[in-house]
Amino acid sequence: MITLEKKIKVLVAKVGLDGHDRGAKVVARFLRDAGFEVIYTGLHRTPEEVAMAAVQEDVDVVGISIHSGAHMTLVPKVMKYIKEFGGDLDEMVIVVGGIIPEEDIEKLKSLGVDEVFIPGTPMEKIIDFIRKKVPEKKKMGRSR
Amino acid sequence: MNVEEIVRGIEEGNRRALARAITYVENDYPEGKEIMKRIFHRTGKAHVIGVTGFPGVGKSTTVSKLIQKFREKGKKVGVVAVDPSSPFTGGALLGDRLRMDGLDVSKPLWLDPGVFFRSMSSRGRAGGLAAKTGDVVRLLDAFGFDLILVETVGAGQSEVDIVEVADTTIVILMPEMGDEIQINKAGILEIGDIYVVNKADLGGADKTVRWLKTMIMMDQESVEILSKTTHADEAAVQSGEIFERMKKSRDWIPPILVTVAERGVGIEELVKAIEDHFEYLKKSGKLMERRVRRLSRELFDLIMDEIKTILSKNKLVDFRGYVERVAKGEINPHSAAEDIVDKLLKVGCN
Amino acid sequence: MEDLEKIKKKREEWEKNCLKPYLENFGERQERFETLSGIEIKRVYDPTDIAHIDYLRDIGYPGEFPFTRGVYPTMYRGRLWTMRQFSGFGTAEDTNKRWKMLLKEGQTGLSTAFDFPTLMGIDSDDPLADGEVGKVGVAVDTLKDFEILFDGIPLDKVSTSFTINPPAAVILAMYVAIGDMQGVPRNQLRGTIQNDMLKEFHAQNTLVLPPEPSVKIIVDIFEWGIENVPKFNLISISGYHIREAGSTAVQELAFTIADGMAYVEAAIERGIDIDRLAPQLSFFFNAHNNFFEEIAKFRAARRMWAKIMRDEYGAKNPRSWWLKFHTQTAGCTLTAQQPLNNIVRTTIQAMAAVLGGTQSLHTNSFDEAWALPSEEAVRVALRTQQIIAYESGIPDTIDPLAGSYYVEWLTDKMEKLAWRYIEQIRKMGEGSMLRGVLKGIENGFFVKEISRAAAEYQRDVEEGRRIIVGVNKFTIEEDLKIPILRVDEDVQRKQIERLRKVKAERDNDAVKEALEWLRSAAENNENVMPPILEAVKAYATIGEIMGVLKEVYGTYKKPIII
């Protein structure tokens, strides 16, 4: 049943030189099947390109997929550019998926990443998180 | 961002404001209507180009190449790419943005300040899609883009509706598309101002071009012209002679271009055809004509929407009551409708 | 000789009298049992299932056509498989240190992992390399890094494998240059460069140049390599990555063989004598979870390749019919949850590779879902191979599973299914496998097949039809902190500094000249290896060399198919 309610819009992004797209593509499909509107960036995008797309498409969620160990450099860059291009990180949900060691998960969260999904995370968990977090952040953003 | 900030942002060229405005409009937020009211006076300058065709013909690649070319000419380009939603889950995979890339890998179109790319899902609203897209186009127009490309998947009725939004409609096909009857049925052959046979390197392009010429000649205007010519024999039809003759007597015969978009072949000619068509529209007065026709449809639809809203909200007209009476057979639907309208007009819509 | 009629009758009796009541009372765990390729697995196999298979024609003896049982007559009784752990990270010093440790622990061959900038042919000081230098492998910018990498490692005593694709020519040139420096004759150099661009387009996505120029350069390497480094494997035709991207075992088998055929045709087109090239071709497969399917896959691969080389391409030398391969256990099956379980997975997968007759083997470390392997983890991985080699008895006889009703049936079945794909690809190429594979790259055939298989696999996992122990069943609340390898954050700075120094101290005119020669060779369709070797010796950087090739041949952007 189609309702014209606002669909959650998710940008699935592959940033940097990492060419492993199996996860990103599978996640993109599953998110679509869960009723989200998904934009997949394709491979080898720079942090700026990802941020520009996030702002122009006015997405609710930016999901960065990264398996190359370069997450501590690239994720903060994406967030920096989102801010620079006018995006509101208080409203936009940022999640990261991939090979991320435990200490880095904490570091990323302290930088403002909303959640990190390691390999083996059930798709349901990702979908539920998004469904919950998006309205939560929007409300907080509005009340400011 | 509130409405004030957004409208000001649009006037000042703030892309974030534009993006948020589009979101409001796309999702029927009340702010959307407010914004549309305030920016309308800034619209009307852009050349709106619709690009449609079946999946796989190379629309996104063509759009990408057109963006490049227009940018080279210093034009600012806004793009709306409409992708179908799943009829079951309502979700959509909006995949056109990622095909957009410049020839110069060091200057990605994604970051070009003269380009704005927005993906939209069709959300199963066949008829209403045009209205929503039209508003998004207006926002891009108000923002100041010279050209606005609207890209849709031409496989159904909603895509044919895109014609309502565009000044110039480009239909893209490719060789060996197989089921020509299907293509015919889709109505896609009636809406093109420019036809493009892409992926011409696959072979069979000239066959498709010839077939297209024949099909175009079958439309109403052409049939009239054909019937006026004396020796409209098979051979003349085949050789395209009729086509050439038609060109001289009709104001705009859709050109049929052959491209290999991936390699940039034929894109120059396509740009020229687009510019020519816009010139033609302006000079012939058809631009105004089409826009008036479009606006009249739009205004009509908006009025209908308002009435629908009123009917559901207005307490003085008991819509439910009438429905029950019709169901009980106390009154027929036509009289009921007349009654209701009468009451509305007397009572006033506010 | 078995009396098949009698057996068939007995089977029917068994099904009626013995099996049926049991099924009715107890049932089976699943409605249907399948391999990871969707092949239905029967309850029990018997001689009737392999009645169509002829021992002498289809199975044969090891070392003889069709090589189903192995490429050598003695296999592991003569020499164990090479224990070759893929490794590399940080700077050349860091990797040199890890290599020396692995050699001390009993590793018998070297295998190089490069970082993403190197894999993509860009330098450590390129803005696109920011954050990626030394992270997933060793950073190599110039010959200087190679000198450090191979410090204390004699090239006449080791064989070195290089996982490198778009800049493979550059890396091969560097290795040859080191050999020259050490005084080792070029015809003594042993090793492998992966050099398989086709699978990059299908799955791995290390993409720089478009498909046709990529193949052209690979053939250049073939042409140069058979003359100059006759003991070096000039390509490792890979299925590993295709499998990691989500394909089934049958697809892995079919697409790898198809790519192999494409390369052979490209070489023949160039006028290369197939019997001179074939002994320098090698393959690289994945060892995944379904134990018997993997073993059958390896056996089928050998049989298919032998038939293809002898009967289709007319190779005369029996050595040309050998499919020699390296195997890596499946990274994609390892879990972040309960990481010690991965040791078990890797063991089962390694056993499959050995029972499948692999020539060399890499076993993954248990912490790979978290980071690059720590020293402790990689030691366990190496020990896994050593325990199989020395304690299990598995290598003491050749192809012990031959004759198994199930394994022979499955080998045959996989071969048949793989042939179907090959014929499909051949049709796409109107008779040519090379054109067919290139066509498949262009129209997204391979990507779509792999994507679909990956999505189906995930759906099975999400819906509980496929169990992953510790992930969707037998989970625990765990503290996921394990000691992991950390690449020194200073690597990028150190590497950029080294690069700067090299550029300052080298003869920039010589570099310029060499690069101009390369440009002219590329533009005039000549072999690019000689100019690349010259450039490498002048300390030109990978980025500079690849930069010239990108200018001449253009940069490739992959069409997105989800």
Side-chain angles (χ1 to χ4, degrees), chain B residues 150-270:
Chain B
V150 180
E151 186 197 329
T152 69
V153 181
Q157 191 52 41
S158 55
E159 291 63 41
V160 176
D161 286 347
I162 284 317
V163 183
E164 307 201 356
V165 166
D167 301 316
T168 303
T169 300
I170 302 174
V171 176
I172 307 186
L173 305 103
M174 66 184 209
E176 310 288 349
M177 278 182 74
D179 196 350
E180 286 155 2
I181 299 175
Q182 239 227 1
I183 298 171
N184 233 323
K185 268 196 353 203
I188 226 173
L189 293 176
E190 287 153 25
I191 60 172
D193 296 305
I194 299 170
Y195 289 92
V196 174
V197 178
N198 189 33
K199 303 199 179 179
D201 51 343
L202 288 181
D206 28 325
K207 209 169 90 178
T208 310
V209 170
R210 263 181 282 130
W211 173 78
L212 264 174
K213 282 191 179 158
T214 320
M215 288 290 112
I216 289 170
M217 290 192 283
M218 293 306 198
D219 75 355
Q220 198 53 26
E221 255 186 282
S222 323
V223 168
E224 281 176 36
I225 296 167
L226 272 180
S227 60
K228 288 201 192 105
T229 62
T230 39
H231 299 290
D233 50 271
E234 263 299 301
V237 169
Q238 287 287 358
S239 71
E241 200 197 295
I242 297 288
F243 196 78
E244 297 305 314
R245 268 192 254 156
M246 262 169 53
K247 268 194 187 163
K248 300 201 179 87
S249 52
R250 267 176 64 176
D251 353 342
W252 180 267
I253 306 290
I256 301 170
L257 302 168
V258 170
T259 62
V260 182
E262 217 169 77
R263 286 192 254 135
V265 174
I267 300 297
E268 286 271 7
E269 292 78 353
L270 179 54

